[in-house]
């Protein structure tokens, strides 16, 4: 997985979603619990597929096959993270989304908090069996 700096993210990702850090996200170490990052990534993936790609999950669903996360810095309650999303590979029925959580920390400096690669599989909603990634969505993800 590539290690990004903020400039690289801003120049190579065209979709992002702001994340509101909730008090309930904070653990006893006073930062966002590592498990909450999965929620942030999931929210951003769903927004990317729906808003950016126009994906209709009632026709063709998606399931997660694999998630890799590299944690770089803790997120604190006053930080303002966003999750950046892009597709880096499309196979027959699967595709890989690369995601970066970054944003200004309390001082205003922009930092990368975590990076992720998630392998998704397109599935038939009736059978939950893999199906080819619909061409209309693949074109948007690679466009």
């Amino acid at each position: 997985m590539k290690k990004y700096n903020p400039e690289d993210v801003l120049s190579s990702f065209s979709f992002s979603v702001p994340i509101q850090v909730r008090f309930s996200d904070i653990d006893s170490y006073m930062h966002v619990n590592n498990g909450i990052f999965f929620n942030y990534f999931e929210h951003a993936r769903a927004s990317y597929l729906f808003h950016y790609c126009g994906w209709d999950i009632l026709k063709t669903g998606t399931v997660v096959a694999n998630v890799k996360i590299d944690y770089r810095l803790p997120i604190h309650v006053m930080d303002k993270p966003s999750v950046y999303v892009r597709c880096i590979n499309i196979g027959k029925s699967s595709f890989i989304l690369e995601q970066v959580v970054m944003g200004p920390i309390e001082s205003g400096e922009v930092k990368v908090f975590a990076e992720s690669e998630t392998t998704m599989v397109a599935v038939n909603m009736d059978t939950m069996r893999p199906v080819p990634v619909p061409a209309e969505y693949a074109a948007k993800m690679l466009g």
Side-chain angles (χ1 to χ4, degrees):
M1 204 168 354
K2 183 175 179 180
K3 298 285 186 204
Y4 280 98
N5 63 49
E7 296 79 23
D8 290 340
V9 173
L10 293 174
S11 67
S12 57
F13 287 72
S14 58
F15 181 85
S16 67
V17 175
I19 300 294
Q20 179 180 348
V21 178
R22 300 165 301 197
F23 181 74
S24 61
D25 296 346
I26 306 299
D27 63 19
S28 61
Y29 295 108
M30 301 308 295
H31 57 67
V32 171
N33 183 275
N34 67 324
I36 299 297
F37 280 72
F38 285 89
N39 297 31
Y40 294 170
F41 287 127
E42 179 181 44
H43 173 70
R45 283 193 308 272
S47 294
Y48 172 81
L49 292 174
F50 181 72
H51 295 291
Y52 188 78
C53 301
W55 196 296
D56 182 353
I57 62 165
L58 297 178
K59 291 181 181 175
T60 304
T62 60
V63 295
V64 172
N66 184 286
V67 178
K68 299 175 190 171
I69 297 177
D70 285 340
Y71 298 97
R72 303 254 309 265
L73 289 172
I75 298 174
H76 295 94
V77 73
M78 298 305 290
D79 297 337
K80 305 282 186 228
S82 289
V83 180
Y84 293 76
V85 184
R86 71 178 182 170
C87 182
I88 59 171
N89 186 49
I90 297 178
K92 182 180 175 188
S93 62
S94 66
F95 54 96
I96 299 173
L97 297 180
E98 187 172 51
Q99 297 178 268
V100 177
V101 182
M102 76 171 205
I105 59 175
E106 194 170 0
S107 69
E109 186 178 6
V110 176
K111 296 285 189 175
V112 172
F113 300 110
E115 295 145 338
S116 175
E117 281 185 12
T118 303
T119 302
M120 305 288 295
V121 177
V123 296
N124 176 295
M125 290 302 291
D126 293 326
T127 65
M128 294 307 289
R129 301 293 304 154
V131 296
V133 175
E136 64 187 287
Y137 307 138
K140 291 175 183 175
M141 287 191 281
L142 294 177

